[in-house]
Amino acid sequence: NAFFGVRYWIMKNLKTCIPLARGLAGSACPLPVKTTIVMGEPMCFSPKIAGQPTQDEIDSAHGEFTRSVIALFDQHKSRLGFGERN
């Protein structure tokens, strides 16, 4: 990777990162890519003690989030060209 040693030193000592990226005509502008964003219903997670969720509450919220993302994908996949995927 180009300039890895210098970039690593800067990262460790100056606590900043210098990513190397190329885009349009070699510039830092990203390449144009078609992006589709879909939004689901808002989700609310409330632990019994504010700011201190238990591991069971985290696992439950993660499970609910995962099911919601899968349902959202299944709802929109045909329209977006991914109808054959499960």
Side-chain angles (χ1 to χ4, degrees):
N1 201 346
F3 307 110
F4 177 77
V6 173
R7 290 172 49 227
Y8 187 76
W9 184 90
I10 290 171
M11 180 187 71
K12 286 297 187 186
N13 295 296
L14 303 179
K15 306 294 186 216
T16 188
C17 182
I18 302 174
L20 297 180
R22 282 191 322 199
L24 295 172
S27 72
C29 295
L31 296 171
V33 177
K34 180 182 175 187
T35 304
T36 303
I37 299 172
V38 295
M39 303 293 269
E41 293 295 318
M43 300 176 78
C44 182
F45 304 107
S46 301
K48 289 180 183 174
I49 302 173
Q52 297 178 350
T54 65
Q55 189 61 47
D56 287 339
E57 290 172 331
I58 292 171
D59 293 341
S60 174
H62 181 259
E64 185 179 339
F65 173 77
T66 303
R67 285 187 296 278
S68 296
V69 169
I70 291 170
L72 194 59
F73 174 74
D74 289 340
Q75 179 183 352
H76 295 282
K77 67 183 178 182
S78 295
R79 181 174 58 89
L80 298 173
F82 297 100
E84 70 284 350
R85 295 190 183 182
N86 291 326

